[in-house]
Amino acid sequence: MASSLTPRSPYPKKENLGNARRGMGVKPGPRRNVLSAINNGGGTNSDTASVDGGEGGAGPAAPVIEFTGREDVERLLAEKMKGKSKTDYKGRTEQMSEYIKKLRACIRWYIELEDGYLVEQEKLRSTMDAENAQHAKLEAQLSSDLEELKAAHLNLTRQCDSLEESFNKEKADRMLAVESYEKERQQRESAEASLDLLSVDLERVSHEAKRFSEQLKMVQDTNKRLQEYNTSLQQYNSNLQADASKSGDIISKLQKEKSAMMETMASLKDLNNSMKNHLDSSRTSQQEAIRMKEQLMKEVDCLRIELHQIREDRDQSVSQVNTLSAELANYKELAGKSTKDCESLSVKVSAFEETCSMQQEQIQTLQKQLAVATNKLKLADVTAIEAMTGYEEQKVIIKDLEERLASAEFQIVEADKLRKKLHNTILELKGNIRVFCRVRPLLQDNDSSGAEEALISYPTSVESAGRGIDLMNQGQRFSFSYDKVFDHGASQEDVFVEMSQLVQSALDGYKVCIFAYGQTGSGKTYTMMGPPGRDQKGIIPRSLEQIFKTSQSLESQGWKYSMQASMLEIYNETIRDLLAPGRSNNFDLSTSKQYTIKHDPQGNTTVTDLTVADVFSSADVTSLLAKASQSRSVGRTQMNEQSSRSHFVFTLKISGSNENTGQQVQGVLNLIDLAGSERLAKSGSTGDRLKETQAINKSLSALSDVIFAIAKGDDHVPFRNSKLTYLLQPCLGGDSKTLMFVNISPEASSVGETICSLRFASRVNACEIGIPRRHTQARSFDSRLSYG
């Protein structure tokens, strides 16, 4: 236990001190015996000065004392007083003053050494951060390069597979071509062989019967081939009819699609694409029919050639028959053959003549079929021409529809520009700064029933209906009038409907600021955030839902939006990042980051090192709001069990661009839940709560000073008096839109704070920022305008 209580020496080691001096860039000088230099008195030097600047001018100048390590410090501590006698108080006093000067020099040396340590620590920390950033950048670059290599490898693999497939296909086509060439060569050789046989039969008269039989077989084979060609012609005819029917179906479908396109303009692009696909298919079928027609023409030419060859063979056969008849007569005359041989020959000749007549009939039948096929080809040509005509008509109709669509899109763009202009004009006529008042209902645990009717009433006159509020206090009536007054029965939906047009202005590219003001416990957080549940959502979640819903509906007009959200709180004039990683409500000011507010010449505001998150849906913002609500500073006072002790600022930056028109917009939506104003005597705040209350009241007072200075047109506006007003500087002037919700409590115990809040809201309501506020006649016209 005693060893643990032993104080540790505060002096660093000698080698550590030398290293620290080298790290600070201090060159090690020659070591001097500090005590000997002081005791000897040293001579005066122009470079020497008094150790203690506060005692300059008294006595001779003392030499500069340097400390190079722990040994010098220990030597100073071990130094003993030297005096001639105990009664020499003057000498002892001088020695004590010199010793005190040495101690002061030692302390200064320690301070400089500690500053050097801090500087070196900051340098090492910045070097480490730079190395970590470079390391992360290299890792990201390597990962991206690896992904690109993987994608390239996959593409090469696919190309290799496609090349193999095309190679196999070409190889198969080549084999088929070789097989067809072999078949043609065999057929040519067989034809040559048949010609040789015919020449042999002509030369040899003795083998007449055999030659006739072979010729009959050849004729039969030719007949079979003609029949096969006939069947193929029939198949081609049926294919042409099927293609014609398909073309008719396609044309009917195109006509139906045309009528559908004329009925609805919303699906015009999809129907246009489908019609183009159907037209491509009809064009493909038409090309297929033309190709089939060419094949049929080629086959008809082949048939004609074969028919011509058969006719020549028939003529040759007839000539051969005549020759044989002459030879038969000569044989009869010369050889004197018997009558039976002549009869047999005559029978053969008659049979051969019958065969020739049958072949001639078949040729005539084939000619008729050829004529029918030719007529069908002509009909197919007519059908193809009609299809082309219909295609051209559909093309003209599609072109007309495209022109009408372009005109409609141009009108939509112009109408949207006019809408934005009129929307902004209406809001400017209503005032760039507006004030709404909302009365919180009585709480269930409040036993003073009927307190609201006794304190607050609402005028029913035409001019004040929905705009006025009366308050009774000690028999005196206070009347106030605002842009809109919501009684205790107004729902969250009613409140949001009245201010939804300001949310649309943020989408149109304006800076919009909506904040809730009022005493502690008056319902500001309920108005802005609302409890969980669809029906009880506050202004912030409902505004975000409207923004995302509207941005999605504008995608059909070519608009694309990107949104970034940030959430911070201003606590005791200190900015806190509510979305920072590891953030909690146990916040330590000594370890917090120092955030700086910056404004650029374009009026854009940034907070350095503040977490900014990209949001793509209302669900993303909901999760961020839940995280921020857990990190927000709250506390308990006598006026509220869970009072917000800071200003909550939700900022949504909206960037939109239209690819069709080239338009670009940049809007900002600031939704602010101010901390509650309260009186110190009533809230009972002490300690940290007292400091919080003073900071809150100071920032709210600065906000009122800024608004009144802008309204008066003062040359100097005190934006820098508060972090809140400096953050909202671009949103409190020019063409920005500002809406203040003043929330009041209906209890009789809060009547003093309620009157102060209403008076402040009345002063703000009387201000004119930017374009002057509408007059009384315009005010009555505005009451008939509906929001949203």
Side-chain angles (χ1 to χ4, degrees):
M1 186 69 181
S3 61
S4 63
L5 296 175
T6 302
R8 190 170 55 183
S9 176
Y11 307 109
K13 292 183 179 181
K14 181 179 180 180
E15 54 272 22
N16 294 337
L17 294 175
N19 294 333
R21 290 170 59 86
R22 288 191 294 272
M24 291 185 292
V26 180
K27 296 182 180 179
R31 300 184 58 183
R32 289 195 290 169
N33 192 337
V34 179
L35 300 179
S36 61
I38 296 173
N39 291 331
N40 294 333
T44 60
N45 195 346
S46 59
D47 296 334
T48 60
S50 175
V51 176
D52 190 357
E55 298 178 1
V64 178
I65 301 173
E66 288 189 2
F67 290 85
T68 59
R70 182 174 179 178
E71 294 177 357
D72 294 340
V73 177
E74 291 179 351
R75 192 179 294 110
L76 176 63
L77 295 175
E79 183 181 358
K80 297 181 179 180
M81 297 291 178
K82 295 180 181 181
K84 295 180 179 180
S85 63
K86 295 182 180 180
T87 58
D88 189 8
Y89 295 108
K90 183 177 181 181
R92 287 179 175 274
T93 303
E94 291 176 355
Q95 288 184 359
M96 289 296 292
S97 63
E98 292 294 331
Y99 191 77
I100 290 170
K101 292 177 181 179
K102 296 174 187 177
L103 289 177
R104 288 178 178 175
C106 181
I107 292 170
R108 290 195 186 96
W109 174 71
Y110 267 113
I111 292 172
E112 292 174 356
L113 186 61
E114 184 178 3
D115 293 339
Y117 283 153
L118 293 176
V119 171
E120 183 66 20
Q121 184 179 3
E122 290 295 327
K123 289 181 179 179
L124 293 174
R125 185 175 297 162
S126 61
T127 305
M128 183 180 296
D129 294 339
E131 291 294 330
N132 290 333
Q134 186 175 5
H135 179 67
K137 185 177 180 181
L138 289 174
E139 284 184 351
Q141 185 176 1
L142 288 175
S143 61
S144 63
D145 292 341
L146 182 59
E147 292 296 331
E148 290 177 358
L149 288 175
K150 288 182 180 179
H153 180 265
L154 183 61
N155 292 330
L156 289 175
T157 305
R158 292 177 179 173
Q159 291 178 2
C160 184
D161 294 338
S162 63
L163 288 174
E164 287 181 357
E165 291 178 359
S166 61
F167 175 77
N168 294 330
K169 187 176 180 181
E170 289 178 1
K171 187 176 180 180
D173 295 337
R174 185 177 180 183
M175 293 298 295
L176 291 174
V178 170
E179 290 177 358
S180 63
Y181 176 77
E182 290 294 333
K183 289 180 180 180
E184 289 177 358
R185 187 176 60 81
Q186 292 175 2
Q187 291 177 359
R188 187 170 62 252
E189 289 176 356
S190 63
E192 291 175 357
S194 63
L195 289 174
D196 294 336
L197 289 173
L198 287 172
S199 64
V200 171
D201 290 338
L202 289 173
E203 293 175 357
R204 296 179 182 179
V205 180
S206 60
H207 299 85
E208 293 176 359
K210 184 177 180 179
R211 184 170 58 82
F212 287 151
S213 63
E214 289 177 355
Q215 288 180 356
L216 287 174
K217 288 181 180 179
M218 290 176 65
V219 171
Q220 289 176 359
D221 293 336
T222 305
N223 188 14
K224 288 181 180 179
R225 290 175 65 186
L226 290 173
Q227 289 179 357
E228 290 176 357
Y229 283 125
N230 186 16
T231 54
S232 64
L233 285 173
Q234 290 178 356
Q235 290 178 357
Y236 288 138
N237 186 17
S238 61
N239 291 332
L240 287 174
Q241 290 178 355
D243 293 335
S245 62
K246 287 182 180 178
S247 299
D249 295 335
I250 291 170
I251 290 172
S252 63
K253 289 181 180 179
L254 290 174
Q255 290 177 351
K256 291 180 181 178
E257 291 175 357
K258 171 188 171 183
S259 61
M261 288 172 66
M262 295 299 292
E263 289 175 359
T264 173
M265 290 296 293
S267 60
L268 186 60
K269 292 182 180 180
D270 296 335
L271 291 175
N272 187 11
N273 294 330
S274 63
M275 287 180 69
K276 287 182 180 179
N277 294 330
H278 286 298
L279 287 174
D280 292 337
S281 62
S282 65
R283 187 184 302 167
T284 304
S285 62
Q286 180 183 358
Q287 292 176 357
E288 184 69 20
I290 293 171
R291 188 178 62 82
M292 296 287 291
K293 173 185 174 183
E294 291 176 354
Q295 291 180 356
L296 287 174
M297 292 298 293
K298 290 179 181 180
E299 292 179 357
V300 167
D301 293 337
C302 293
L303 287 174
R304 287 176 179 173
I305 293 170
E306 291 178 357
L307 287 174
H308 182 66
Q309 186 177 0
I310 290 171
R311 287 176 180 175
E312 289 178 354
D313 293 338
R314 184 196 63 185
D315 294 337
Q316 289 179 1
S317 299
V318 171
S319 62
Q320 289 175 3
V321 169
N322 294 329
T323 304
L324 289 174
S325 299
E327 289 178 355
L328 182 60
N330 290 330
Y331 285 152
K332 284 180 181 180
E333 292 177 359
L334 295 173
K337 289 183 178 181
S338 61
T339 307
K340 292 182 179 180
D341 293 334
C342 291
E343 290 178 357
S344 62
L345 289 173
S346 62
V347 170
K348 291 180 179 180
V349 170
S350 62
F352 186 72
E353 289 177 352
E354 290 178 358
T355 302
C356 289
S357 63
M358 291 175 63
Q359 288 180 357
Q360 191 170 4
E361 291 177 357
Q362 291 177 357
I363 289 170
Q364 292 176 357
T365 304
L366 290 174
Q367 288 178 349
K368 292 179 180 179
Q369 292 177 356
L370 180 61
V372 173
T374 305
N375 293 329
K376 290 181 178 179
L377 285 174
K378 291 180 180 179
L379 292 175
D381 291 339
V382 173
T383 305
I385 292 171
E386 292 178 353
M388 287 296 294
T389 305
Y391 170 73
E392 294 296 334
E393 292 177 354
Q394 293 293 331
K395 191 174 181 180
V396 172
I397 293 171
I398 290 171
K399 185 177 180 180
D400 181 51
L401 292 175
E402 288 177 349
E403 292 177 354
R404 293 172 61 186
L405 177 61
S407 176
E409 289 178 349
F410 177 76
Q411 291 178 0
I412 289 172
V413 171
E414 293 298 324
D416 186 63
K417 292 181 180 178
L418 181 60
R419 180 199 64 78
K420 290 181 179 179
K421 184 177 181 181
L422 293 176
H423 178 80
N424 187 51
T425 302
I426 291 173
L427 293 181
E428 286 177 348
L429 289 174
K430 292 180 178 181
N432 279 346
I433 181 168
R434 306 169 65 196
V435 179
F436 288 176
C437 176
R438 188 178 189 184
V439 181
R440 177 179 62 77
L442 285 170
L443 301 178
Q444 295 180 358
D445 56 355
N446 195 339
D447 53 0
S448 58
S449 60
E452 181 182 6
E453 289 76 13
L455 292 175
I456 298 174
S457 61
Y458 307 98
T460 58
S461 62
V462 176
E463 294 183 355
S464 301
R467 296 178 179 273
I469 182 172
D470 295 336
L471 183 66
M472 293 295 296
N473 183 27
Q474 298 178 358
Q476 185 178 1
R477 179 183 295 274
F478 298 90
S479 299
F480 302 94
S481 179
Y482 306 104
D483 292 280
K484 184 66 178 178
V485 175
F486 299 97
D487 59 12
H488 65 280
S491 63
Q492 298 280 66
E493 178 70 19
D494 298 335
V495 174
F496 178 72
V497 167
E498 287 293 334
M499 51 76 60
S500 59
Q501 282 189 344
L502 290 174
V503 179
Q504 181 62 41
S505 294
L507 271 176
D508 292 343
Y510 294 94
K511 294 179 176 63
V512 178
C513 180
I514 302 172
F515 58 89
Y517 175 85
Q519 71 179 87
T520 299
S522 60
K524 300 182 300 299
T525 304
Y526 177 84
T527 300
M528 298 302 293
M529 300 292 293
R534 184 171 181 84
D535 296 335
Q536 300 296 323
K537 289 181 180 179
I539 291 175
I540 293 178
R542 291 177 185 269
S543 300
L544 297 171
E545 288 178 357
Q546 178 181 340
I547 287 174
F548 285 109
K549 184 178 180 181
T550 306
S551 62
Q552 290 176 0
S553 64
L554 291 176
E555 289 180 356
S556 60
Q557 301 180 14
W559 283 98
K560 290 184 179 180
Y561 288 92
S562 61
M563 303 177 192
Q564 293 181 329
S566 62
M567 302 181 194
L568 60 87
E569 68 173 357
I570 301 176
Y571 176 78
N572 286 350
E573 288 300 305
T574 302
I575 295 177
R576 295 182 177 182
D577 187 1
L578 297 179
L579 300 180
R583 173 76 168 87
S584 64
N585 52 8
N586 296 325
F587 190 75
D588 188 4
L589 289 174
S590 62
T591 60
S592 64
K593 290 183 179 180
Q594 297 298 323
Y595 299 96
T596 305
I597 302 172
K598 295 182 179 180
H599 303 296
D600 60 10
Q602 288 75 28
N604 299 319
T605 302
T606 57
V607 180
T608 58
D609 298 330
L610 186 67
T611 302
V612 179
D614 294 327
V615 291
F616 306 96
S617 63
S618 57
D620 297 341
V621 183
T622 302
S623 62
L624 294 178
L625 288 173
K627 180 180 179 181
S629 62
Q630 294 176 359
S631 304
R632 191 177 177 188
S633 301
V634 295
R636 180 178 179 180
T637 65
Q638 293 181 4
M639 299 178 68
N640 194 357
E641 287 289 332
Q642 193 173 9
S643 175
S644 300
R645 311 307 296 168
S646 63
H647 305 306
F648 172 74
V649 181
F650 172 86
T651 303
L652 184 69
K653 295 183 178 179
I654 305 170
S655 298
S657 61
N658 194 318
E659 297 178 353
N660 299 330
T661 62
Q663 292 178 296
Q664 291 185 351
V665 294
Q666 288 186 350
V668 178
L669 178 62
N670 288 305
L671 302 173
I672 305 165
D673 181 14
L674 297 175
S677 62
E678 56 188 25
R679 295 182 180 179
L680 294 177
K682 189 173 183 180
S683 63
S685 299
T686 58
D688 292 339
R689 295 291 176 265
L690 177 60
K691 294 179 180 179
E692 293 170 356
T693 303
Q694 291 173 346
I696 291 169
N697 292 337
K698 180 181 177 181
S699 61
L700 294 177
S701 176
L703 177 62
S704 63
D705 293 340
V706 166
I707 293 176
F708 298 148
I710 294 174
K712 292 177 182 178
D714 294 344
D715 294 335
H716 173 69
V717 180
F719 286 110
R720 293 182 178 270
N721 288 357
S722 171
K723 290 287 181 65
L724 177 65
T725 55
Y726 190 55
L727 178 65
L728 301 179
Q729 179 177 350
C731 299
L732 294 176
D735 57 353
S736 302
K737 319 297 178 187
T738 304
L739 173 63
M740 184 182 80
F741 268 97
V742 55
N743 296 78
I744 62 174
S745 176
E747 285 88 354
S749 59
S750 303
V751 65
E753 291 290 340
T754 299
I755 293 175
C756 290
S757 298
L758 292 176
R759 284 175 176 172
F760 173 71
S762 295
R763 294 178 65 190
V764 174
N765 192 45
C767 295
E768 294 180 354
I769 297 178
I771 296 176
R773 185 183 287 257
R774 71 279 183 217
H775 299 288
T776 305
Q777 295 179 356
R779 186 184 290 268
S780 63
F781 172 74
D782 292 338
S783 63
R784 296 191 295 271
L785 290 176
S786 61
Y787 289 86

